[in-house]
Amino acid sequence: MARFTCKCGEILSNTLVPNNVQLRVYSDEEWDNIIQTESIDPLSLPFPKNDIWRCYKCERIYVFDWESGAVIKTYVLDEQ
Ligand SMILES: [Zn+2]
């Protein structure tokens, strides 16, 4: 459970379970490895490689390192 201030100023939190901030994103390779080696019981699924949060105000996407909790990538919605 954590809080994070987005660059737009919005305070994001994953304290509510479930929430719409924290995303469960697996690469196709990660998912393929999971479904080949694990049962499909949803409670037994491992966490994805990265912790990914989406700001519901500006839609920035933050990718966190699981171990350090540091932001390793930030994606901003492209204006067209
Ligand atoms: Zn934001």
Side-chain angles (χ1 to χ4, degrees), residues 1-20:
M1 310 276 176
R3 291 169 48 116
F4 178 78
T5 302
C6 180
K7 287 184 178 177
C8 75
E10 193 73 13
I11 297 173
L12 307 176
S13 171
N14 68 349
T15 55
L16 289 177
V17 178
N19 63 72
N20 286 316

Side-chain angles (χ1 to χ4, degrees), residues 5-12 54-60 62:
T5 302
C6 180
K7 287 184 178 177
C8 75
E10 193 73 13
I11 297 173
L12 307 176
R54 178 181 57 201
C55 176
Y56 42 80
K57 185 176 178 185
C58 70
E59 299 189 55
R60 276 187 177 88
Y62 293 95

Side-chain angles (χ1 to χ4, degrees), residues 11-36:
I11 297 173
L12 307 176
S13 171
N14 68 349
T15 55
L16 289 177
V17 178
N19 63 72
N20 286 316
V21 171
Q22 196 169 25
L23 307 178
R24 305 281 185 214
V25 178
Y26 297 89
S27 71
D28 188 53
E29 184 177 340
E30 283 179 279
W31 184 251
D32 202 51
N33 288 336
I34 290 167
I35 63 174
Q36 287 181 14

Side-chain angles (χ1 to χ4, degrees), residues 32-78:
D32 202 51
N33 288 336
I34 290 167
I35 63 174
Q36 287 181 14
T37 59
E38 304 283 338
S39 70
I40 303 297
D41 177 5
L43 296 177
S44 71
L45 291 175
F47 284 108
K49 183 178 175 185
N50 295 109
D51 192 17
I52 299 175
W53 288 28
R54 178 181 57 201
C55 176
Y56 42 80
K57 185 176 178 185
C58 70
E59 299 189 55
R60 276 187 177 88
I61 300 285
Y62 293 95
V63 180
F64 295 89
D65 178 67
W66 269 113
E67 292 184 19
S68 70
V71 173
I72 55 176
K73 288 196 188 312
T74 303
Y75 296 91
V76 180
L77 191 64
D78 190 13

